[in-house]
Each structure stands twice: as C-alpha cells, then as structure tokens.
Amino acid sequence: MRIKDKPNGPAAAAVLAGAIGVFVIGVMTALAAASDAVGNMLRWVGPVGPLSGKTGLGVIAWLVAWTVLGSSYNGKNVNTEGIVRWSRVLIILGLLLTFPPVFALLGNVFK
C-alpha cells in the first residue's frame, strides 16, 4: 500500500486532539487567574501549584479527544484544510490565554 492510498483520518485526529489539549491548558490558565477557587482546585501537587492541574486537564482533554476523534476518523479521509484551520485557531487561542498580560486582564475582568 502506498502512502497516498492510506486514509488521513488518524493523522488529522492526532493534530486536532493536540490543539484541543493546548486550548484546554490556555482556558485553565485563564480560569485559574480569574478565580482563586479554580486555582486552588487545580493544585493537584502542592509544590507545583495550579500548574499541575492545568497541564493534567490538558493531557486528559488531549487523550479523550484523540480517542474519540481517532475512532470516528479511523479509516476515513477527512478535510485536512478544515482540521488544520481549526487546529491553528485553537492553538493560537490556547497560547494567547497562557500569556500573563492576557490572563491577568481576564482575571481583572472577572474578579
């Protein structure tokens, strides 16, 4: 079987799932900055602080998304342009939400 003959669904699922994980980390970072209660809930490992919960939830979201998308895209050819477009949007938003000026601004808005 040549590479051209293989379906692109599993690769698309991996890319989109990774982007979802990045976005979840960004959202958790912004929520932890906006709410002390959320920040305390995300303290899974004491010395690490809320970072342990933020990254933990990001990894969980990535694994769940990869499992769901991987099973639904398995053996299929999907629109890679759409997958890449959504992945870019999610990654950019996730990264923006991890920058201190952005999550500090959001924290001030919601406090």
Side-chain angles (χ1 to χ4, degrees):
M1 180 180 279
R2 298 180 332 198
I3 291 178
K4 289 183 180 180
D5 297 335
K6 291 188 178 184
N8 66 3
V15 170
L16 187 56
I20 290 169
V22 170
F23 180 69
V24 168
I25 290 172
V27 169
M28 290 299 111
T29 302
L31 288 175
S35 168
D36 291 335
V38 173
N40 288 332
M41 276 187 356
L42 293 174
R43 290 182 188 274
W44 294 359
V45 178
V48 178
L51 180 61
S52 58
K54 296 172 197 173
T55 56
L57 288 176
V59 169
I60 291 168
W62 163 67
L63 287 172
V64 169
W66 197 11
T67 302
V68 171
L69 292 170
S71 65
S72 59
Y73 290 173
N74 191 25
K76 297 179 183 174
N77 279 314
V78 296
N79 177 8
T80 54
E81 290 179 20
I83 297 292
V84 169
R85 188 175 303 120
W86 276 106
S87 295
R88 282 183 185 152
V89 168
L90 290 171
I91 290 169
I92 289 169
L93 288 174
L95 288 174
L96 282 175
L97 289 170
T98 63
F99 284 107
V102 176
F103 68 70
L105 175 68
L106 291 173
N108 290 335
V109 168
F110 293 109
K111 282 191 177 181

